[in-house]
Each structure stands twice: as C-alpha cells, then as structure tokens.
Amino acid sequence: MKSLIIYCSDYKKNTEVIAQILADKMDSELINIRDVSDLDIESYDLIGFGSGVYKESFSPKLFKLVDKLNLAGKNVFVFSTSGVGMKFYNSRLIKILESKGAINKGSFACKGSFIAKDFTNKKLFNIMGRLSQGHPNQRDFKEAEGFIIRVLDSL
C-alpha cells in the first residue's frame, strides 16, 4: 500500500511531530505543504491531511490544496494539533474531503503547546496555553500510533 501525508505545521512544529510519527508507523511519504508544487496523488491508496489550528481553523494553504485535488474514491484521514486538542477542528476539512468523494477513514487530534501571548491577551487563553505545555507528549504519541493502526486495519 502506498500512502502520503500532507501537513502544515507553521508555529511550534507540533503537527510535524505527529505527522512524522504517523508516517513512520505506516511507512508513508511525508510532505510539508510549503514543499508542495505539483502533486500527483493518483498512485496513493491512503492520504492523510494534517494541520495545526490557527485562529480556530486549519491552514488556508491546506484548504486551497484540497480544493485542487481529485479525491474521488480516495481513502483519507485528518489529524490536527491545537491548544485544546479536540477533533471538532477537523470537521470542516472532513466535510470538504467527503464532498469531493473521498472516503474518510478517521480523525485524530491532540494538544499542541502554545504561548497565549503570541496570539491574544485574553486570560482564558493563558490558562489553555499553560495546560497545553509539554504537548504533544508520550501519551499523545501512543494515541497517534493507535489511531493510525486502526486506520490501516480499516482498509
């Protein structure tokens, strides 16, 4: 099986760490979105899309790329890192992928550390930032590995 992971990790490289773990576990090609020029996905059996969450959304670069791809009948999965580590951020991309005929095989999310003052001066985000420190961590790595094993088992 031939697989590819495309990811965007602009801030602290939290998503890149998770992307690498997933790629290693499934012996996948790994491409940072900034390195994508001309992408032929025809030969891939499984494609993962990942992003850090920036201002409550995935990277616009990832949405632009997905818009250009013919994903009909392609097996896909989505992953993200964010200050809260919740899968609901993945929903928008999943809906777009499915609307393009892709077959969603799963969704994964974990916390990624961030410094609140880099984004806002709201105190709530200071608390969230403190709670996210040290993530992704060993537990997140194990959960990512378990997730990709389940995805592979579903094929």
Side-chain angles (χ1 to χ4, degrees):
M1 181 193 72
K2 191 172 178 185
S3 59
L4 171 67
I5 296 174
I6 304 165
Y7 70 95
C8 179
S9 189
D10 285 338
Y11 178 56
K12 286 190 161 266
K13 307 300 181 209
N14 297 314
T15 308
E16 185 171 64
V17 170
I18 297 298
Q20 187 65 60
I21 287 168
L22 297 173
D24 289 349
K25 195 70 176 174
M26 58 193 272
D27 193 27
S28 175
E29 291 180 48
L30 184 62
I31 300 176
N32 188 314
I33 196 147
R34 72 172 176 257
D35 299 325
V36 172
S37 55
D38 187 31
L39 185 61
D40 180 11
I41 61 165
E42 191 58 36
S43 65
Y44 294 100
D45 303 301
L46 177 63
I47 304 169
F49 297 92
S51 179
V53 175
Y54 311 99
K55 296 182 181 178
E56 305 296 311
S57 182
F58 276 26
S59 167
K61 297 173 200 170
L62 195 58
F63 288 116
K64 286 178 187 172
L65 176 66
V66 166
D67 189 50
K68 295 176 189 176
L69 297 176
N70 176 6
L71 294 163
K74 289 290 182 186
N75 293 308
V76 299
F77 65 91
V78 175
F79 64 99
S80 64
T81 61
S82 67
V84 295
M86 299 182 74
K87 288 196 272 188
F88 67 82
Y89 289 118
N90 300 3
S91 299
R92 179 176 168 211
L93 183 58
I94 290 168
K95 287 178 186 172
I96 292 169
L97 291 167
E98 289 175 342
S99 76
K100 295 181 69 69
I103 304 160
N104 180 33
K105 292 297 186 175
S107 175
F108 175 79
C110 70
K111 285 184 182 179
S113 66
F114 74 102
I115 299 168
K117 69 179 180 176
D118 290 347
F119 301 101
T120 183
N121 58 6
K122 294 183 180 174
K123 291 186 190 233
L124 171 64
F125 289 97
N126 281 333
I127 295 167
M128 291 171 50
R130 284 195 301 273
L131 293 173
S132 74
Q133 294 309 301
H135 288 274
N137 60 22
Q138 289 300 319
R139 181 177 173 192
D140 298 320
F141 302 155
K142 283 187 178 275
E143 289 178 4
E145 288 177 351
F147 162 75
I148 204 61
I149 288 168
R150 290 188 300 278
V151 167
L152 295 172
D153 287 348
S154 75
L155 298 175

